[in-house]
Amino acid sequence: MKTIFTRILSLLLLCTSAANSQNPIDSLEKRLQEKNLADSSRLKILYQVSREYTFNAPEKALKSIDETIALAQKLKKQKTVADALSLKGKVLKNNGDFKKAIETHLQALKIKENIKDTLGQSISNNDIGVVYKSLKSYHEAMKYYRKSNELANLVNYGKGISNTLNNIGTSFFELRNIDSAIYYYNKALTKSLQINDPNCLSTTYNNLGNIYGYNDKPDLALGYYLKCLEINKSQQDAYGMTNSLLK
């Protein structure tokens, strides 16, 4: 049955890809070729291009990010420098260069601290935690997740609160501290329901399904997976639907 679902959803993914073949990056790249483009506009577009490339074209992303950083420094736009460094840290992490990724995220964090960007600090702390999780340094990851959560609460960043609670829960799960993982997943669920964010809800239901499946409670696990699937269907998230069906 799973094989049938997988084939159907693979077709859905292909259809979605075809429907969205008009990549916004094409028009952004065209604008960068304009001769009289003001530096301020060029900076905004370069940052947008960097974001578009971050998860699907790492080499192009790194080139665009470095151009963004150089121009932002020239224009003394410290927030953009920090945000671009955060993107660079993500690319380096995805490339497996974990040491350089941490160094880059710490550079971004330092700038965000200097300019009093509390939301940005929360995001950077979470980014660093994600890298440490990739290194299987779960206790170190949780240190940064907790700091990120604290900062997210200061600025009432609901999505960040939910995400960090999920990340703490996942770290406990990896350490096989099941009770603590469930505790944090349930806290994440409470926050996700409060802010009514479909992505946060989908992630949390999926995490709860994972842990109850691991804990040999298939009925509970299935209930959470079905909730996750329903949200993904409503959001037309074919990848998430596949993920839920394959549990």
Side-chain angles (χ1 to χ4, degrees), residues 115-208:
I115 63 175
K116 305 288 192 291
D117 180 4
T118 305
L119 174 58
Q121 291 173 55
S122 175
I123 292 168
S124 282
N125 274 283
N126 187 69
D127 288 339
I128 296 166
V130 169
V131 182
Y132 276 114
K133 181 195 168 194
S134 297
L135 289 166
K136 302 189 187 304
S137 299
Y138 301 115
H139 291 291
E140 192 68 12
M142 278 195 281
K143 182 177 84 173
Y144 284 97
Y145 290 149
R146 290 183 192 280
K147 183 63 177 176
S148 176
N149 181 267
E150 176 189 327
L151 292 163
N153 273 287
L154 278 177
V155 292
N156 197 28
Y157 178 38
K159 187 172 180 178
I161 295 168
S162 173
N163 287 340
T164 49
L165 290 169
N166 267 309
N167 287 340
I168 294 169
T170 298
S171 296
F172 275 121
F173 186 15
E174 293 292 348
L175 293 166
R176 295 303 180 252
N177 187 335
I178 303 304
D179 289 343
S180 292
I182 291 172
Y183 171 77
Y184 279 98
Y185 285 155
N186 280 323
K187 286 189 73 170
L189 179 57
T190 299
K191 175 53 71 172
S192 300
L193 288 166
Q194 179 188 331
I195 63 176
N196 195 30
D197 185 285
N199 291 326
C200 290
L201 282 166
S202 174
T203 297
T204 309
Y205 286 138
N206 192 68
N207 285 340
L208 284 163

Side-chain angles (χ1 to χ4, degrees), residues 3-247:
T3 303
I4 294 170
F5 278 128
T6 306
R7 287 176 180 171
I8 292 171
L9 289 167
S10 294
L11 288 172
L12 281 172
L13 283 168
L14 287 171
C15 290
T16 303
S17 175
N20 294 313
S21 59
Q22 185 58 42
N23 197 319
I25 206 159
D26 296 337
S27 58
L28 292 171
E29 292 278 21
K30 266 188 179 180
R31 287 213 59 200
L32 287 175
Q33 303 307 313
E34 294 176 14
K35 291 182 180 178
N36 298 320
L37 188 64
D39 278 350
S40 57
S41 298
R42 182 175 299 280
L43 180 62
K44 289 178 183 177
I45 296 168
L46 274 171
Y47 181 72
Q48 286 178 278
V49 168
S50 300
R51 288 187 63 180
E52 291 291 333
Y53 279 140
T54 291
F55 295 104
N56 52 42
E59 294 307 315
K60 289 182 178 180
L62 290 172
K63 181 177 181 296
S64 179
I65 289 168
D66 285 342
E67 289 176 11
T68 303
I69 292 169
L71 183 54
Q73 288 173 333
K74 175 187 170 184
L75 298 176
K76 295 182 169 54
K77 300 289 186 181
Q78 287 297 95
K79 186 178 187 310
T80 306
V81 173
D83 290 341
L85 283 167
S86 291
L87 289 180
K88 188 171 186 176
K90 288 181 171 71
V91 176
L92 291 167
K93 177 257 179 186
N94 291 339
N95 283 352
D97 193 346
F98 300 126
K99 182 181 177 183
K100 189 67 176 174
I102 290 171
E103 290 173 359
T104 305
H105 280 310
L106 286 171
Q107 287 175 1
L109 178 58
K110 184 66 176 175
I111 295 171
K112 291 172 184 180
E113 289 171 346
N114 288 340
I115 63 175
K116 305 288 192 291
D117 180 4
T118 305
L119 174 58
Q121 291 173 55
S122 175
I123 292 168
S124 282
N125 274 283
N126 187 69
D127 288 339
I128 296 166
V130 169
V131 182
Y132 276 114
K133 181 195 168 194
S134 297
L135 289 166
K136 302 189 187 304
S137 299
Y138 301 115
H139 291 291
E140 192 68 12
M142 278 195 281
K143 182 177 84 173
Y144 284 97
Y145 290 149
R146 290 183 192 280
K147 183 63 177 176
S148 176
N149 181 267
E150 176 189 327
L151 292 163
N153 273 287
L154 278 177
V155 292
N156 197 28
Y157 178 38
K159 187 172 180 178
I161 295 168
S162 173
N163 287 340
T164 49
L165 290 169
N166 267 309
N167 287 340
I168 294 169
T170 298
S171 296
F172 275 121
F173 186 15
E174 293 292 348
L175 293 166
R176 295 303 180 252
N177 187 335
I178 303 304
D179 289 343
S180 292
I182 291 172
Y183 171 77
Y184 279 98
Y185 285 155
N186 280 323
K187 286 189 73 170
L189 179 57
T190 299
K191 175 53 71 172
S192 300
L193 288 166
Q194 179 188 331
I195 63 176
N196 195 30
D197 185 285
N199 291 326
C200 290
L201 282 166
S202 174
T203 297
T204 309
Y205 286 138
N206 192 68
N207 285 340
L208 284 163
N210 288 343
I211 202 160
Y212 283 117
Y214 173 84
N215 219 21
D216 200 24
K217 295 182 178 177
D219 290 341
L220 270 174
L222 180 60
Y224 284 117
Y225 284 142
L226 288 173
K227 287 182 178 182
C228 176
L229 176 62
E230 191 61 35
I231 291 171
N232 292 335
K233 282 169 63 180
S234 70
Q235 298 296 305
Q236 296 184 328
D237 180 1
Y239 174 80
M241 289 163 64
T242 307
N243 199 37
S244 299
L245 286 165
L246 292 179
K247 297 301 180 183

